[in-house]
Amino acid sequence: LASLREATEHHVLVATGGSYRFRHALLREAIYEDTLPGERLRLHRLTAETLAARPELAGQGANADAELAHHWYAAGELPAALAASVRAAEQAGRMHAHAEAVVHLQRAFELWQRVPGAEEVAGADRMTLLLRASEMAEHAGDDELSLEFAMSARRMVDARAEPLRAAAAESRIGDSLWNAGRADEALTHLAEVLTLVPEHPPSAGRARALASYGRLLMLNGAFRNALGPLEEALELAERLEDHASRASVL
């Protein structure tokens, strides 16, 4: 308390409610750079341990997992940093902070090869996270990055062994290409989805694939060609009581 009072009286820190902040960002950076490497690791680890125990200290409305990911990474605790990065991306996505979600997932991909048992630590496989990153990049307006993530996901799966996962990647590629203004290529990939999702047994996945293909044909001006897939999708969605697909088709 005596040290805090001295720092506050000399205008190094400013008291804000129940916490303190540096008056000037440059001063904070100078003090940080003056710490020894071992000292820095210890401080980051202590901060991460404290935040993990009391996430409310990150501040109201803040993404505590984002802070944890940063501090675990800076402390050299890579498994904890990977897990926190994935959680931070999910939380950012729920808050519609799509560009921030992409940054967290990029850190997760950077750490993937450096963390033993990364899939178990992350709670998801790499392909699933790549598809999620593609979706977040699309929402953030970065169509080329969205396509890059989707293509990486597609390269990870064997369509003969896992046709439905391949279809999910192809669908993401199609959406990314359409948003990038490459309609003909997008149609090719969405048509490929229909070859990967079987007609039997009837499934919501098949309804969504037909709806996506028909919608893109319509948006591309091929109205007559769009009717068949859309009508088939509507019939299937109604049979399955898949209300989301039915609304999309209508």
Side-chain angles (χ1 to χ4, degrees):
L1 287 174
S3 298
L4 284 170
R5 175 173 291 280
E6 183 180 1
T8 304
E9 288 177 348
H10 286 81
H11 308 294
V12 175
L13 296 179
V14 177
T16 55
S19 62
Y20 299 85
R21 64 174 176 82
F22 283 95
R23 183 176 290 273
H24 299 293
L26 288 175
L27 182 57
R28 177 180 61 81
E29 290 175 19
I31 291 173
Y32 181 81
E33 291 299 327
D34 193 48
T35 58
L36 295 170
E39 208 174 9
R40 204 174 297 172
L41 287 171
R42 184 179 66 85
L43 288 169
H44 279 295
R45 186 176 294 108
L46 282 170
T47 304
E49 288 170 351
T50 303
L51 273 175
R54 297 182 60 191
E56 71 275 8
L57 292 177
Q60 188 174 3
N63 189 339
D65 285 315
E67 295 289 332
L68 278 169
H70 164 69
H71 289 294
W72 283 129
Y73 184 79
E77 301 287 348
L78 302 189
L82 172 59
S85 294
V86 173
R87 293 196 308 270
E90 287 301 311
Q91 188 169 343
R94 287 193 296 271
M95 297 165 66
H96 305 289
H98 303 121
E100 183 182 332
V102 171
V103 171
H104 292 307
L105 287 169
Q106 285 175 315
R107 171 171 284 171
F109 299 143
E110 175 198 339
L111 292 170
W112 201 268
Q113 299 300 330
R114 301 162 64 187
V115 174
E119 187 173 316
E120 184 177 350
V121 171
D125 61 39
R126 186 181 176 92
M127 181 183 172
T128 298
L129 293 178
L130 282 166
L131 293 177
R132 180 66 171 157
S134 174
E135 183 183 357
M136 290 295 100
E138 178 185 311
H139 292 327
D142 193 334
D143 299 322
E144 290 303 321
L145 185 58
S146 174
L147 179 59
E148 182 182 326
F149 285 136
M151 294 292 284
S152 295
R154 179 64 184 87
R155 286 192 290 269
M156 292 188 67
V157 62
D158 181 351
R160 289 169 297 182
E162 298 180 286
L164 294 182
R165 280 166 66 82
E170 289 286 354
S171 181
R172 274 269 88 238
I173 292 169
D175 288 346
S176 299
L177 286 167
W178 168 256
N179 287 318
R182 296 159 62 179
D184 290 342
E185 293 174 75
L187 281 168
T188 299
H189 285 276
L190 291 182
E192 178 66 15
V193 174
L194 291 176
T195 70
L196 293 167
V197 181
E199 292 184 41
H200 301 287
S203 66
R206 178 74 182 177
R208 287 193 295 271
L210 286 162
S212 294
Y213 184 58
R215 185 190 310 110
L216 197 54
L217 284 169
M218 178 198 70
L219 292 171
N220 210 33
F223 304 123
R224 290 184 184 277
N225 292 338
L227 274 175
L230 290 173
E231 287 172 345
E232 186 180 345
L234 180 60
E235 180 186 352
L236 187 54
E238 288 177 341
R239 193 190 326 166
L240 296 170
E241 297 185 354
D242 181 355
H243 303 303
S245 292
R246 182 175 181 273
S248 174
V249 173
L250 288 172

